Amino acid sequence: MKTTPSAPPAMPAATTLYTGNWLRLQACGHWEYAERTRASGAVVIVALTPGDEVLFVEQFRVPVAQWTIEMPAGLVGDLADAHDESALLAAARELEEETGWRPAHVEFLHAGPSSAGMSNEIISFVRAHDLTRVGAGGGDATENIRVHAVPRSGAHAWLLAQAAAGYSIDPKLFAGLWFLQHGAG
């Protein structure tokens, strides 16, 4: 049986509680939530090297005070001269910046909320195709990213081993692996 969502309820106007350089904290009724102020969304990049290796990145994340393993990702439209940047352009840019791999083309897979009860941020999953190694990666001057190219056949076991070693594993990467396993993109 196919259903469609009902119309959203009437909502009171949001009140700004705090505005920082990158985030704004809003209140609406009993809800408090965060909005990005200098980006239109985020993108997660599902990428395989020509050797059938999944690209993961490792970096320290201050909010959780842990080293994390994630798929390459980044903000959309966060550069001063690119406020109207698409998720596809951001994906190609972020993949090369973080991993040193350049895609010949990128394909939209899916979009949805990153944490619907905490933020209005929408994350797009994008599949990068036909990668060429063009650099070392590692991120920009504000980042300290380590790149991992893990054979697709052993990715799940590798991630479990990283979790056992104390890394925080971003659950969004399992959605990316699902896209690879089920032939999306």
Side-chain angles (χ1 to χ4, degrees):
M1 170 176 31
K2 186 174 181 177
T3 63
T4 57
S6 59
M11 296 178 40
T15 302
T16 300
L17 302 174
Y18 175 79
T19 300
N21 290 329
W22 289 91
L23 295 174
R24 177 174 36 242
L25 182 60
Q26 298 283 84
C28 183
H30 70 277
W31 288 92
E32 293 178 348
Y33 59 95
E35 294 180 333
R36 290 218 182 260
T37 59
R38 293 171 45 184
S40 61
V43 64
V44 173
I45 304 109
V46 180
L48 287 174
T49 69
D52 201 38
E53 299 161 309
V54 182
L55 291 177
F56 297 115
V57 294
E58 170 188 330
Q59 58 188 314
F60 186 80
R61 293 296 197 174
V62 171
V64 294
Q66 278 189 283
W67 288 92
T68 65
I69 305 293
E70 309 166 359
M71 284 188 160
L75 297 177
V76 178
D78 63 321
L79 301 179
D81 60 344
H83 293 295
D84 61 348
E85 178 180 50
S86 72
L88 297 178
L89 287 175
R93 173 179 57 79
E94 289 286 352
L95 182 65
E96 185 172 334
E97 177 185 292
E98 291 191 358
T99 70
W101 289 90
R102 180 180 295 153
H105 67 283
V106 291
E107 171 188 17
F108 174 82
L109 296 174
H110 182 75
S114 62
S115 178
M118 199 280 299
S119 174
N120 70 342
E121 178 178 69
I122 300 297
I123 292 182
S124 296
F125 280 83
V126 171
R127 174 76 159 87
H129 293 276
D130 304 320
L131 305 185
T132 302
R133 183 76 175 195
V134 295
D140 65 22
T142 66
E143 298 171 308
N144 180 17
I145 294 173
R146 183 171 173 208
V147 180
H148 298 279
V150 178
R152 182 184 354 190
S153 62
H156 190 263
W158 184 83
L159 289 167
L160 293 177
Q162 298 310 301
Y167 286 91
S168 173
I169 307 300
D170 183 346
K172 292 183 296 297
L173 64 77
F174 291 105
L177 291 174
W178 184 91
F179 285 126
L180 287 174
Q181 181 181 353
H182 293 279

